[in-house]
Amino acid sequence: MLDRLPFLIGLRYVRAKRRNHFISFISLTSMLGLMLGVAVLILVLSVMNGFDHELRTRILGMVPHTKVESRTGMVEWEALAERLMERERVIGAAPYVEQQGMFSVGGRNEGAMVNGIHPEWEDRVSIIGRHMQQGGLDDLQPGEWNIVLGSILARRLGVGVGDTVTLLVPEASITPAGVFPRLKRFTVSGVFSVGADLDAALAYANIEDMQTLARLGDAVGGLRLELDDLFQAAAETRSIINELGPGYRGIDWTFSHGNLFQAIQMEKRMIALLLTVIIAVAAFNIVSTLVMVVTDKHADIAILRTIGATPRSIMGIFIVQGLAIGVIGILVGVALGVLLALTISDIIDGVESLFGIQFLDAGVYFISNLPSRLDWADVRDIVAAALGLTFLSTLYPAWRAAKVQPAEVLRYE
């Protein structure tokens, strides 16, 4: 019977209506604090996981994991692509020609990077084909001078499919009339949207047209490679360049978007740390609750000691009570946090539709919606941390209860 005493009495103290309503209020506050802290931490980490996932799938689905370029021009690129595809980590390769330029339409000017691509090869390294709003990559036929624009870029220029745009490239053409910037008219054949800032900064044309515009002849700018693990891009790039020799150079995604990815990881760790402090404050409110309960229950503790309860059993009573308060708050918080993490994207979409606002503008942020991706490993870690802090908060009050001297208390009863 005495072995079950801590659980029976500890749980009874949680259920009982206390004479001191202030103690009940502090208990409820501690429980609510744990609930909100756990729920908010689950929600925030899920949103950060969502941003991380969007970075990997959208941004890095459009940006090559790594690029291989030749210092003397890459003419026999097909043979090199087949050679690189034999590597274990390389799962896709495609040629490209990059040209920075400015689009001009009716007095509107917008800068962008124009990628010359091979329509039949591009799906091996990019998700662009799955995000076409109008038209398709098959419309980019050599000699037709068609171009595919990002949705934001097209909107800023005020053009759609069938319209013409003028591309000015930062290279001068010397003519008898003087020096003029090189320019070429393109017909808009498609519009893509990935819901990211790339929609405002990218355009695609046929690689042969871009070779002609850049005066490369049969050479291409390089090869874009898709890897099975993007986090191995730096090591794989070094290995490829060492194999190919000094005439080649490699550029992996960490040079262009690595800082963004690292910033998200750092923010996730810092936000988790700050929100854990909220959980810690709520957990240590249990200290106040239990100290007041111990003071209120001095007589009960003394009676239990006189009938044979050990100091260890007395400690167990108040540890069980504190843990019960914490577990209830944590479980409710987990349920609320998981529910919010699974529905926050729909909630935000509903608020945006209802009030006609947009929280994330793809022209400013790198995505246009609030993503959420629940990771049960994060939930496990949050629950473990909350339970650990709750347990630590019960130790001092329980120790105080175990030190109560029955003779001193009962002398005045």
Side-chain angles (χ1 to χ4, degrees):
M1 179 64 183
L2 290 177
D3 292 337
R4 299 174 56 193
L5 191 68
F7 294 96
L8 295 174
I9 298 179
L11 295 177
R12 183 176 180 276
Y13 280 174
V14 174
R15 297 193 306 266
K17 294 182 178 179
R18 300 185 183 88
R19 296 186 301 272
N20 191 332
H21 294 291
F22 183 68
I23 298 177
S24 299
F25 175 75
I26 296 297
S27 299
L28 181 61
T29 301
S30 303
M31 196 178 298
L32 290 175
L34 280 170
M35 179 192 73
L36 293 176
V38 169
V40 170
L41 187 52
I42 291 175
L43 174 60
V44 171
L45 291 186
S46 296
V47 171
M48 298 303 295
N49 289 335
F51 275 100
D52 176 70
H53 181 260
E54 291 298 317
L55 173 65
R56 298 188 195 185
T57 56
R58 291 196 187 189
I59 306 299
L60 297 181
M62 298 286 289
V63 175
H65 291 175
T66 188
K67 298 188 294 185
V68 176
E69 299 177 348
S70 174
R71 303 181 189 277
T72 58
M74 190 177 294
V75 178
E76 298 179 356
W77 60 268
E78 293 188 48
L80 180 59
E82 295 298 330
R83 175 182 171 185
L84 294 177
M85 284 289 293
E86 295 176 357
R87 297 181 64 89
E88 181 179 358
R89 292 201 175 278
V90 178
I91 59 176
Y96 71 91
V97 172
E98 284 185 345
Q99 181 68 65
Q100 186 74 39
M102 177 177 291
F103 289 101
S104 180
V105 180
R108 298 181 181 181
N109 300 306
E110 292 290 337
M113 178 67 73
V114 182
N115 284 337
I117 62 171
H118 196 302
E120 296 179 2
W121 288 63
E122 189 64 15
D123 284 342
R124 304 182 183 186
V125 298
S126 173
I127 62 173
I128 177 64
R130 302 195 295 270
H131 290 272
M132 296 296 300
Q133 287 186 333
Q134 296 175 280
L137 296 182
D138 292 338
D139 297 327
L140 300 178
Q141 296 300 318
E144 296 185 3
W145 297 97
N146 289 333
I147 197 165
V148 172
L149 302 178
S151 57
I152 297 176
L153 180 60
R155 185 172 69 247
R156 290 176 178 174
L157 291 171
V159 297
V161 173
D163 294 331
T164 60
V165 296
T166 301
L167 175 64
L168 292 84
V169 298
E171 294 182 16
S173 297
I174 301 176
T175 69
V179 179
F180 292 92
R182 192 182 309 170
L183 53 85
K184 180 65 183 178
R185 285 186 178 274
F186 286 85
T187 300
V188 179
S189 63
V191 176
F192 70 88
S193 176
V194 293
D197 61 346
L198 298 177
D199 293 341
L202 276 183
Y204 290 89
N206 186 275
I207 192 169
E208 293 185 24
D209 293 343
M210 294 306 298
Q211 285 174 317
T212 301
L213 184 62
R215 299 176 180 176
L216 295 177
D218 294 331
V220 300
L223 289 175
R224 301 169 62 189
L225 303 180
E226 179 89 359
L227 306 180
D228 62 348
D229 185 355
L230 62 93
F231 295 106
Q232 299 296 323
E236 185 67 13
T237 302
R238 287 193 298 270
S239 176
I240 290 173
I241 298 306
N242 290 335
E243 177 184 328
L244 296 180
Y248 294 86
R249 67 176 181 175
I251 305 172
D252 64 84
W253 68 270
T254 59
F255 284 92
S256 57
H257 290 79
N259 291 338
L260 179 59
F261 180 80
Q262 293 172 1
I264 291 178
Q265 294 297 311
M266 183 182 68
E267 288 175 4
K268 179 180 177 182
R269 289 192 291 268
M270 294 304 298
I271 290 175
L273 179 61
L274 293 175
L275 293 179
T276 301
V277 174
I278 297 177
I279 297 177
V281 171
F284 281 101
N285 278 340
I286 296 175
V287 175
S288 303
T289 302
L290 294 182
V291 167
M292 287 187 286
V293 171
V294 169
T295 303
D296 190 54
K297 300 295 184 180
H298 268 191
D300 294 352
I301 295 170
I303 293 171
L304 289 172
R305 289 294 305 278
T306 58
I307 63 175
T310 63
R312 183 176 180 180
S313 297
I314 300 299
M315 284 190 67
I317 291 172
F318 294 97
I319 289 175
V320 168
Q321 182 184 0
L323 286 176
I325 294 172
V327 167
I328 293 172
I330 291 169
L331 290 179
V332 176
V334 167
L336 179 61
V338 169
L339 179 63
L340 287 175
L342 294 175
T343 60
I344 189 63
S345 297
D346 295 331
I347 292 173
I348 295 298
D349 289 343
V351 172
E352 289 180 341
S353 300
L354 182 63
F355 294 100
I357 59 176
Q358 186 174 15
F359 291 107
L360 297 176
D361 184 357
V364 179
Y365 305 97
F366 70 91
I367 61 173
S368 58
N369 67 315
L370 185 69
S372 178
R373 189 176 180 85
L374 182 65
D375 188 343
W376 289 105
D378 287 340
V379 176
R380 178 200 62 205
D381 295 340
I382 292 168
V383 170
L387 284 175
L389 291 171
T390 301
F391 175 74
L392 290 176
S393 68
T394 65
L395 294 180
Y396 174 70
W399 176 79
R400 283 277 302 272
K403 292 297 182 179
V404 171
Q405 298 298 323
E408 293 295 327
V409 174
L410 296 177
R411 178 184 302 173
Y412 302 102
E413 293 293 330

